Amino acid sequence: MKLKYLLVPWTAAAVYALSSMYAGASGVLPYGALLKEQERLLDNLEELKSVNQNLEGTAAALLYDPETVTVQARELGYGKENERFIRIAGLSGARNRELTPGTAAAVSKPDFIPDRYLKAAALLAGFAVFCLLVISDLLGKLRRE
């Protein structure tokens, strides 16, 4: 066996190692996607903290300030005894405040190349090198004859 044929398994191993390091399940590309996802989740967490502070302020105002309770009740359409409401057609009634409790953030899986494809590519690369070496040997024999 010629020593140059040892290049075949080394080529297959190098192709597999480099491709899995770059695009495998724990490679550079999926890691970058996970870092972006982490940044998105941290931004969402900060937004949720801000929403929480606003809701805590509203809850505290409703607990301790009777005037706030009165304003909120009027916005919901309630009134005091012997109080009458006048509605003007064409105008939106009370200020309808939308509750925005925050957004639910689902983590998406990063895109990566499955391991079986990387192994297949490595085997194909090794087979291609093997074929090139065999062809070069056959051509060398034909030239000598």
Side-chain angles (χ1 to χ4, degrees):
M1 181 174 162
K2 294 185 180 181
L3 197 58
K4 66 181 176 180
Y5 284 103
L6 287 176
L7 186 62
V8 173
W10 282 106
T11 301
V15 166
Y16 177 72
L18 291 175
S19 61
S20 66
M21 183 178 70
Y22 186 70
S26 58
V28 173
L29 288 179
Y31 184 72
L34 285 176
L35 287 178
K36 287 179 186 175
E37 191 70 25
Q38 179 188 24
E39 190 67 32
R40 188 180 69 83
L41 289 174
L42 288 175
D43 290 343
N44 188 40
L45 181 65
E46 291 300 318
E47 182 181 333
L48 289 174
K49 284 180 182 179
S50 171
V51 168
N52 185 39
Q53 285 178 345
N54 291 339
L55 290 174
E56 283 178 352
T58 303
L62 287 171
L63 281 175
Y64 302 114
D65 187 16
E67 194 64 33
T68 304
V69 173
T70 304
V71 169
Q72 287 280 335
R74 284 197 177 129
E75 285 180 1
L76 293 173
Y78 294 102
K80 293 182 181 178
E81 195 174 315
N82 297 328
E83 199 173 49
R84 296 179 187 212
F85 290 100
I86 298 175
R87 296 193 191 248
I88 301 173
L91 293 178
S92 61
R95 295 179 287 154
N96 290 331
R97 290 188 299 196
E98 291 185 24
L99 295 177
T100 54
T103 56
V107 178
S108 61
K109 289 187 175 184
D111 293 330
F112 64 91
I113 298 174
D115 198 47
R116 63 180 179 271
Y117 295 136
L118 298 177
K119 288 178 182 176
L123 287 175
L124 286 174
F127 183 70
V129 169
F130 177 74
C131 289
L132 289 175
L133 291 176
V134 167
I135 289 171
S136 70
D137 283 349
L138 290 176
L139 288 177
K141 279 186 179 180
L142 288 176
R143 286 185 195 154
R144 281 184 253 145
E145 292 177 358

